[in-house]
Amino acid sequence: MDFIKPLRNYLRPYNCVSFLQAIWFLSNHLEFRGDLPPYLKNANPQGLRSNLALGFFLWELDTLAREVILHCEPPLGKRVTEWGQVAKALNLLKKAEQDGSTIDVRNVMSEMTRIAHRQFHWQQGVTHNDLIRTRKIYRSPGMNDVVRTVYGLSAEEVALSGFAALATYFQHFAMTSDWCENVVSMLGFNPRPAIENLTEDLFTIQKSAREVRALNGDWAYAFNPLWLHPLIRIEDGTRIICPIPGLLARRMTDGLYFDIAGHDVDVLSAHMGPAYQPYIGEALDRANNGRFTILPEQPYGTRRQVKDSVDFIVADDTASLFLETKLLKMGRAAKEYLAPDNAVTTQLRKLAKAIGQVYATLTDALAGMYPHWKPNGKPVHPILVTLDNWNLFTHTTHGDLATLVRSELDRRGIDHSILATHQYVVCSANEFEVAIQVMHQVSIQAVIEPLVKGEKVGWLFSGHLRQSFAKELMEVSPLFPEGRRSLLPRPPG
């Protein structure tokens, strides 16, 4: 752990809250175009709009916030008074990452996957689609009952609570502990149950960070407790700070999953999965302006063995998508540790099982067993749309997944030749909501064919679309603008 010592020793004399406030200014500036105070102006003296040109990044501020909480003085210490003090910490953080690295030619592709999970969500940001998707899924009748049990508030009230807090923390680093009661007249209810779920005291956050930290090459990727509790009580609970507002935004979208999943193991299969599938159906309907034929799931088979078809068939005059929806969140271990065989295999096996399910029903459909769809000689593409983004783009990951898929096909008695004629594609809901709009402009086959043949097999949809359909991407818009208008706060700038 010697590689961490220079950063740790540098941070120790500083006041923790003062350093976190500097991180608040900088993260707000990078992600939400917030203004920098005079003492941090030199972080971007020319007012550049490109974050890449600045040389420091949101994922580094994420890691630095964790290290500040671990090593800075909570009540005392010197204050941050200039950009150079933070810049030195960031440079020491970069050096710690380099010195602690255990990357070599054997695990470089696994490292690329880990880098993707650390960086991509910061690069892509929290989109309008993310906000509305979360809102719609959690407002469904069954999920709303679960949310009320977990939080004591309805799903709509939880959403409004989180985004009212986010609107506040766009503008202020800290708020007083009575903020919840002060906004009751505006919201029409007390948001405290939701806010308390996002809040922890500084000592407990520090303890959690110490328990999950890694003192080896996994150090930079270790879990930051701020992802679970982005709000911190300080000064005997009289003030609550938010070091990185972007973490609060992510906690109120993807992060809600962990509250719900941890509440009851049956919630996912009984309520959240059944809410996710109709949401994708609604997104398909919104994206369609007459080009697609959309066929929802139908039962088929015999009275003794009733089966369900694929969730949706989306067809145009060039091809058909056999679309299956699955929640399938990737576990932390596969994102944080370098090539942990058991952890990665366990996670990928979940994907392989879902892909095998698509091929099983596709085999029946190609044999003419579907009552609502028959083969027409045009290409058929199986696609798995997961709630989480698995970032499946490295050769190592794809090689492992391909092996597991073949094993799953063997288990189901399906000939491997189906992979050559109907190569599967995996994408996230967020990517799919963009891709389906591009398909509507140029055709299903034009978008999908490069992803199932040749050099782009395994590419993320986002990279493929940026490279090949930049013009069409300009025409993509939020699918549910009416939901966005009623919820989104307005960041400064």
Side-chain angles (χ1 to χ4, degrees), residues 15-30:
N15 175 274
C16 180
V17 174
S18 175
F19 221 117
L20 290 177
Q21 185 173 31
I23 290 173
W24 174 80
F25 276 119
L26 293 166
S27 67
N28 241 6
H29 181 68
L30 289 183

Side-chain angles (χ1 to χ4, degrees), residues 138-212:
Y138 285 88
R139 286 174 69 188
S140 65
M143 284 301 297
N144 191 55
D145 292 340
V146 173
V147 170
R148 191 176 290 281
T149 300
V150 173
Y151 292 97
L153 297 171
S154 70
E156 183 71 358
E157 289 169 339
V158 169
L160 291 172
S161 300
F163 293 114
L166 185 58
T168 299
Y169 283 116
F170 277 147
Q171 303 179 55
H172 306 287
F173 169 62
M175 64 184 185
T176 59
S177 59
D178 60 356
W179 174 86
C180 293
E181 285 67 36
N182 291 338
V183 298
V184 168
S185 59
M186 178 182 70
L187 296 177
F189 63 91
N190 192 327
R192 184 165 294 280
I195 300 303
E196 286 292 324
N197 198 58
L198 306 173
T199 310
E200 192 53 88
D201 63 84
L202 182 58
F203 175 79
T204 303
I205 291 283
Q206 186 181 59
K207 181 175 180 291
S208 298
R210 188 173 292 111
E211 289 172 349
V212 299

Side-chain angles (χ1 to χ4, degrees), residues 27 75 81 151 304 467:
S27 67
T81 58
Y151 292 97
R304 291 187 176 182
Q467 184 190 75

Side-chain angles (χ1 to χ4, degrees), residues 6-207:
L7 175 62
R8 181 190 65 191
N9 293 340
Y10 176 75
L11 291 175
R12 274 179 172 167
Y14 282 95
N15 175 274
C16 180
V17 174
S18 175
F19 221 117
L20 290 177
Q21 185 173 31
I23 290 173
W24 174 80
F25 276 119
L26 293 166
S27 67
N28 241 6
H29 181 68
L30 289 183
E31 188 160 23
F32 303 114
R33 302 298 177 191
D35 292 333
L36 291 173
Y39 78 98
L40 294 175
K41 282 288 187 183
N42 283 336
N44 188 5
Q46 297 177 338
L48 299 176
R49 303 286 289 182
S50 171
N51 292 344
L52 293 176
L54 298 182
F56 67 99
F57 307 97
L58 284 162
W59 55 88
E60 293 174 340
L61 293 175
D62 179 1
T63 304
L64 181 59
R66 184 193 69 201
E67 295 303 298
V68 165
I69 289 169
L70 274 170
H71 304 303
C72 287
E73 290 284 344
L76 305 171
K78 62 181 181 181
R79 299 182 61 81
V80 174
T81 58
E82 60 181 35
W83 159 243
Q85 295 168 313
V86 183
K88 183 172 182 178
L90 287 167
N91 287 333
L92 288 171
L93 185 146
K94 295 176 193 287
K95 189 172 188 306
E97 287 190 48
Q98 294 171 358
D99 293 348
S101 174
T102 55
I103 306 305
D104 57 34
V105 294
R106 296 168 299 175
N107 56 27
V108 64
M109 299 307 293
S110 180
E111 174 69 358
M112 287 178 64
T113 298
R114 194 165 63 161
I115 288 172
H117 283 294
R118 183 188 181 199
Q119 297 183 8
F120 282 8
H121 60 79
W122 285 115
Q123 293 173 359
Q124 295 162 354
V126 178
T127 68
H128 296 154
N129 288 349
D130 293 325
L131 302 177
I132 303 308
R133 184 186 317 112
T134 300
R135 189 185 189 195
K136 282 182 169 290
I137 290 173
Y138 285 88
R139 286 174 69 188
S140 65
M143 284 301 297
N144 191 55
D145 292 340
V146 173
V147 170
R148 191 176 290 281
T149 300
V150 173
Y151 292 97
L153 297 171
S154 70
E156 183 71 358
E157 289 169 339
V158 169
L160 291 172
S161 300
F163 293 114
L166 185 58
T168 299
Y169 283 116
F170 277 147
Q171 303 179 55
H172 306 287
F173 169 62
M175 64 184 185
T176 59
S177 59
D178 60 356
W179 174 86
C180 293
E181 285 67 36
N182 291 338
V183 298
V184 168
S185 59
M186 178 182 70
L187 296 177
F189 63 91
N190 192 327
R192 184 165 294 280
I195 300 303
E196 286 292 324
N197 198 58
L198 306 173
T199 310
E200 192 53 88
D201 63 84
L202 182 58
F203 175 79
T204 303
I205 291 283
Q206 186 181 59
K207 181 175 180 291

Side-chain angles (χ1 to χ4, degrees), residues 159-315:
L160 291 172
S161 300
F163 293 114
L166 185 58
T168 299
Y169 283 116
F170 277 147
Q171 303 179 55
H172 306 287
F173 169 62
M175 64 184 185
T176 59
S177 59
D178 60 356
W179 174 86
C180 293
E181 285 67 36
N182 291 338
V183 298
V184 168
S185 59
M186 178 182 70
L187 296 177
F189 63 91
N190 192 327
R192 184 165 294 280
I195 300 303
E196 286 292 324
N197 198 58
L198 306 173
T199 310
E200 192 53 88
D201 63 84
L202 182 58
F203 175 79
T204 303
I205 291 283
Q206 186 181 59
K207 181 175 180 291
S208 298
R210 188 173 292 111
E211 289 172 349
V212 299
R213 67 178 174 172
L215 301 178
N216 52 30
D218 300 326
W219 169 78
Y221 304 92
F223 182 67
N224 182 355
L226 289 179
W227 279 84
L228 186 60
H229 295 106
L231 306 181
I232 308 176
R233 293 188 198 91
I234 61 171
E235 299 172 1
D236 296 324
T238 58
R239 288 203 303 162
I240 301 174
I241 62 174
C242 181
I244 303 180
L247 286 182
L248 177 58
R250 288 161 177 82
R251 184 64 172 82
M252 295 308 300
T253 49
D254 284 350
L256 290 179
Y257 173 94
F258 297 102
D259 292 333
I260 303 303
H263 171 69
D264 186 334
V265 294
D266 294 328
V267 164
L268 301 183
S269 60
H271 299 295
M272 194 167 184
Y276 175 50
Q277 181 177 333
Y279 168 78
I280 293 297
E282 190 176 355
L284 285 170
D285 289 336
R286 284 295 182 98
N288 187 21
N289 192 28
R291 178 164 199 156
F292 298 140
T293 299
I294 301 172
L295 304 176
E297 180 182 46
Q298 295 288 334
Y300 71 99
T302 65
R303 288 185 179 181
R304 291 187 176 182
Q305 189 179 18
V306 179
K307 302 179 181 180
D308 290 325
S309 72
V310 73
D311 290 341
F312 299 98
I313 299 173
V314 184

